[in-house]
Amino acid sequence: MSFANAVKDRINGAVGLVPCAVGGTAIKEWARGEELYENMVKRARESVKDGGEIKGLLWFQGESDTSTQIEANAYRGNMEKLIEDVREDLGLPSLPIIQVAIASGLDDNYMEKVREEQLNINLPNVACVDAKGLDLNEDHLHLTTESQVKLGNMLAGAYLKHFAASP
């Protein structure tokens, strides 16, 4: 909500969010053909069937990819393929995507590798905001409420800087 609140007065039109998050999932579970991916695309299409326009994708995922070196090393390729597929399936070849570089992971041994993979994606209309340094809950995995609000504002700042036309 902090993202929507931060952009609503700076863009023309309403802001709608289509939440598709599922906690504890690895990037491979979001591949084309997998249930999570297909549901995400279906919900996105459904959100604009009576008008409106998809203006961007916010992506905060990766903690579950810190479990093994193989998964961590494959992250960038898997994410780049997801970006390619979602753009193709939605018919939006230049869809803006803002990814969050994770602040925590299931295994600290591979967290930095996943972060490196996220921060080094170099595709058109893809930006990354870094959640490192935001406060975590006592579980040392999830962001505090205050940090979630900060992250929403960081996402909004990135969207407005890179992708939003002036009103």
Side-chain angles (χ1 to χ4, degrees), residues 99-130:
Q99 179 175 27
V100 177
I102 59 173
S104 62
L106 298 177
D107 188 331
D108 286 341
N109 291 326
Y110 304 113
M111 183 184 77
E112 287 303 322
K113 179 60 180 171
V114 170
R115 286 178 43 75
E116 176 186 322
E117 297 286 300
Q118 291 172 324
L119 291 164
N120 286 309
I121 290 174
N122 186 20
L123 294 174
N125 288 340
V126 176
C128 189
V129 298
D130 195 347

Side-chain angles (χ1 to χ4, degrees), residues 43-115:
R43 291 179 75 166
R45 287 180 179 145
E46 186 71 19
S47 75
V48 294
K49 75 174 185 178
D50 294 325
E53 186 178 354
I54 298 171
K55 295 289 213 167
L57 173 72
L58 307 178
W59 189 262
F60 186 10
Q61 180 279 332
E63 292 89 346
S64 293
D65 292 287
T66 64
S67 297
T68 70
Q69 186 170 4
I70 292 170
E71 289 174 343
N73 289 342
Y75 191 90
R76 183 175 9 177
N78 288 332
M79 185 63 193
E80 289 174 346
K81 179 70 170 133
L82 177 115
I83 291 168
E84 175 186 314
D85 290 345
V86 78
R87 285 175 168 170
E88 181 179 316
D89 290 345
L90 294 176
L92 299 169
S94 299
L95 178 68
I97 296 172
I98 306 173
Q99 179 175 27
V100 177
I102 59 173
S104 62
L106 298 177
D107 188 331
D108 286 341
N109 291 326
Y110 304 113
M111 183 184 77
E112 287 303 322
K113 179 60 180 171
V114 170
R115 286 178 43 75

